[in-house]
Amino acid sequence: STATYEDRAKHAYAFNLADSSSASTTLSKEKKLYVRCIKNRGNVENIKNDATGLLSHTFERDQVFSSNVQYGSFKDERDGTVYKTVIIGSQEWFAENLNYKAIFGSSCYDNNAANCEVYGRLYRRKTAMAKQNDQYRDVCPIGWHIPSSGEWKTLNDYVASQTDTPVGTALKSPVGFSCNESGCAEPAPTGTNEFGFSAIGAGWDLSGKHSNEGMVAMFWVSDQTDSTKQLLFRTESLDSYPLSRTVTFGMSVRCVKN
């Protein structure tokens, strides 16, 4: 039978230095022990932790970006975070997901702050695009904004005109997706990141439950005429389609310059 997390959490592997023996032992929840780490084996991007069932990325933040692209930088004066930026055609984009900690309505994947450093934060719709004094002010810093569907289309069309690589593949980072070659229902090619956009599979937040890390990259679209619209990297393409769970759904935010 498969042990539950509560069952596993009661056990530890103990070494007796007096007689060099080792064995599994039962402990109370209040017991504090040392932790010894072991290095991951193989070229994998996600390793499942047997004790928690959580996915943990094994790539570094700097690996997400392309060494063949010249990046700029922008400092968000609200919290001092410095983002890489990239010019693609006539547009200037954040080359990474927004990681501004709003007062409410945003989260880190698995509620782990370390994930925010790589994936950015996942934002609910009302936080991503709050309405103040009958005007919408999105969560991007001043001088930047959440792109409209038209601006996403401009990006899509420019990339399509410059490469024979499918747009979704050309905008994805080669790391950050675990569904590149096998093991998923719809495996997709490894990203080439030819333009430095560096999309990664940050997953989503549905009513506080995080899922699909390493599988999908989803971004809010600002169009207020259709508040259910989102953008999704899926297999080889970059698609926009309706989303019904607007209130409780948390997704990534990419900012484009005004």
Side-chain angles (χ1 to χ4, degrees):
S1 62
T2 303
T4 65
Y5 171 73
E6 289 298 323
D7 292 331
R8 291 193 293 260
K10 296 175 184 177
H11 294 79
Y13 204 71
F15 288 87
N16 187 331
L17 299 183
D19 60 10
S20 299
S21 63
S22 60
S24 177
T25 183
T26 302
L27 301 171
S28 66
K29 292 183 178 180
E30 291 74 25
K31 191 74 173 181
K32 296 180 180 179
L33 299 175
Y34 293 107
V35 170
R36 183 60 69 93
C37 302
I38 185 171
K39 191 174 183 179
N40 298 337
R41 293 185 301 173
N43 183 23
V44 295
E45 293 177 1
N46 291 287
I47 299 294
K48 177 167 280 190
N49 182 308
D50 290 334
T52 64
L54 303 180
L55 289 171
S56 302
H57 59 267
T58 61
F59 55 91
E60 300 295 330
R61 175 178 175 273
D62 286 345
Q63 291 179 268
V64 171
F65 307 107
S66 172
S67 59
N68 299 316
V69 172
Q70 183 175 356
Y71 291 98
S73 65
F74 171 81
K75 182 178 180 180
D76 189 342
E77 298 297 338
R78 297 174 296 181
D79 59 7
T81 301
V82 177
Y83 296 91
K84 287 185 183 295
T85 61
V86 63
I87 295 176
I88 304 176
S90 61
Q91 300 170 307
E92 185 170 358
W93 292 81
F94 271 26
E96 51 191 310
N97 296 340
L98 186 66
N99 188 23
Y100 173 68
K101 187 177 182 180
I103 297 175
F104 62 89
S106 71
S107 66
C108 298
Y109 195 92
D110 280 336
N111 299 312
N112 183 339
N115 285 330
C116 272
E117 296 301 315
V118 175
Y119 295 131
R121 300 186 73 86
L122 299 169
Y123 296 90
R124 303 284 177 87
R125 176 78 188 187
K126 290 184 177 180
T127 300
M129 285 160 283
K131 189 175 184 179
Q132 298 177 347
N133 300 323
D134 294 325
Q135 292 186 339
Y136 286 95
R137 173 71 185 101
D138 66 47
V139 73
C140 289
I142 292 175
W144 301 76
H145 61 276
I146 292 177
S148 66
S149 56
E151 288 171 309
W152 282 110
K153 185 177 186 301
T154 296
L155 173 68
N156 183 93
D157 292 350
Y158 176 79
V159 171
S161 72
Q162 299 296 309
T163 180
D164 292 330
T165 306
V167 173
T169 302
L171 294 176
K172 289 194 307 183
S173 173
V175 302
F177 281 90
S178 58
C179 290
N180 284 333
E181 301 298 343
S182 61
C184 295
E186 296 183 31
T190 299
T192 60
N193 206 18
E194 299 166 39
F195 300 86
F197 189 81
S198 310
I200 55 176
W204 63 57
D205 171 8
L206 178 56
S207 302
K209 183 178 180 180
H210 299 91
S211 61
N212 286 289
E213 176 191 13
M215 297 178 67
V216 294
M218 305 172 70
F219 303 95
W220 283 115
V221 174
S222 66
D223 299 37
Q224 295 305 321
T225 55
D226 181 2
S227 62
T228 66
K229 188 164 287 186
Q230 65 167 12
L231 199 79
L232 170 68
F233 281 85
R234 180 173 50 192
T235 61
E236 297 184 3
S237 61
L238 182 63
D239 302 316
S240 178
Y241 73 102
L243 175 74
S244 59
R245 296 183 289 267
T246 58
V247 177
T248 60
F249 215 81
M251 299 189 299
S252 300
V253 164
R254 275 298 174 99
C255 304
V256 65
K257 196 169 186 178
N258 293 350

